Amino acid sequence: MTIERVLITGAAGALGRVLRRHLRGRYALVRLSDIAPMEPAAAGEEVIPADLADAEAMMRLLKGIDAVVHLGGHSVEGTWEQILRANIVGCINLFEAARKAGTERVLFASSNHAVGFHRRWPRTDHTAPPKPDSRYGVSKAFGEILGLYYANKHGLRVFCMRIGSCREQPVDERQLSTWQSYRDFCHLVDVGLSAWYRYEIVYGVSANTRSFWDNSNAERLGYRPIDNAEIWAAQLEGIKSPNLIDELFIGGPFCSPDFSGRIEDIV
Ligand code: NAI
Ligand code: 15L
């Protein structure tokens, strides 16, 4: 199928706004959706406010869509109620609507927090099983496994991007490993919209010298990141969390809040 009509959920958010600028004019239609206010539609765009937790609104939203970049949801740690509504129910509604609409691909914004309780070293790769560090991380692991079900059972193409820290520039020592530049993020989305696959897990990370991940699966599919957080190393070395647990594990500051176990018991 030629991808002509693309939907971005979470279009009002930080990555949604970056991706909107990048995709403008590259597809016959870019449909944008969020519950938060969005800029008015430009040529080739449609702006449709919708709540991910509203199953019927999702059915209407996915109509005629070839590929969706699913960025919408609660993007940090939250209460179970918040996570359940936006990320669990929201994800189910999104995938189910995509299936019913005959959408070919879902690019899912997963997170490093789905695997946040893996130790930083030695490096892990896309085969690392979920090891969530937070309720938020649990919801991202759920989204990945939900995507696997829709890929196997219903033939959707599903591209799970375990994004590290995607922002203008890294802000601490951990992000020298986890940072993804906006242009590398947009390039990874381009790969997800064009490569040939059924179900893949890749890391959303730049070509960082200290990356926690072997991202050869993304490279195999055509990902060629150009940025490297190392240019900020002198400024950021030593900016660390005071918690040992945050510094041992991939998820950093998502690991310690609410933690009441013993580090040596983490399996
Ligand atoms: P963001 O918080 O700026 O954007 C998320 C958007 O989702 C917001 O505009 C929000 O209004 C919308 N949203 C929340 N609940 C909704 C609902 N019930 N219905 C419809 N829309 C809803 O987050 P950001 O940074 O743009 O991230 C985008 C995606 O990438 C998120 O799913 C996040 O979990 C994921 N991600 C981002 C990383 C980063 O470093 N920016 C790292 C790892 C994952
Ligand atoms: C995420 O999943 C969050 O959405 C983002 O706000 C950052 O905190 C990022 O992970 C990170 O781990 O740095």
Side-chain angles (χ1 to χ4, degrees), residues 10 12-16 34-36 50-53 70-75 85-86 109-112 136 140 163-167:
L15 301 191
D34 205 299
I35 33 167
D51 184 344
L52 290 161
H70 181 40
L71 304 177
H74 197 84
S75 63
R85 193 170 189 286
S110 183
S111 169
N112 70 90
Y136 167 69
K140 293 299 183 180
I163 304 169
S165 309
C166 188
R167 48 192 308 144

Side-chain angles (χ1 to χ4, degrees), residues 105-146:
R105 309 180 172 220
V106 178
L107 279 60
F108 171 57
S110 183
S111 169
N112 70 90
H113 299 291
V115 287
F117 263 144
H118 282 286
R119 287 190 181 251
R120 294 178 175 188
W121 313 108
R123 273 186 181 157
T124 45
D125 68 10
H126 63 289
T127 63
K131 228 180 184 191
D133 56 22
S134 50
R135 293 175 289 277
Y136 167 69
V138 170
S139 74
K140 293 299 183 180
F142 172 81
E144 290 184 1
I145 210 74
L146 185 71

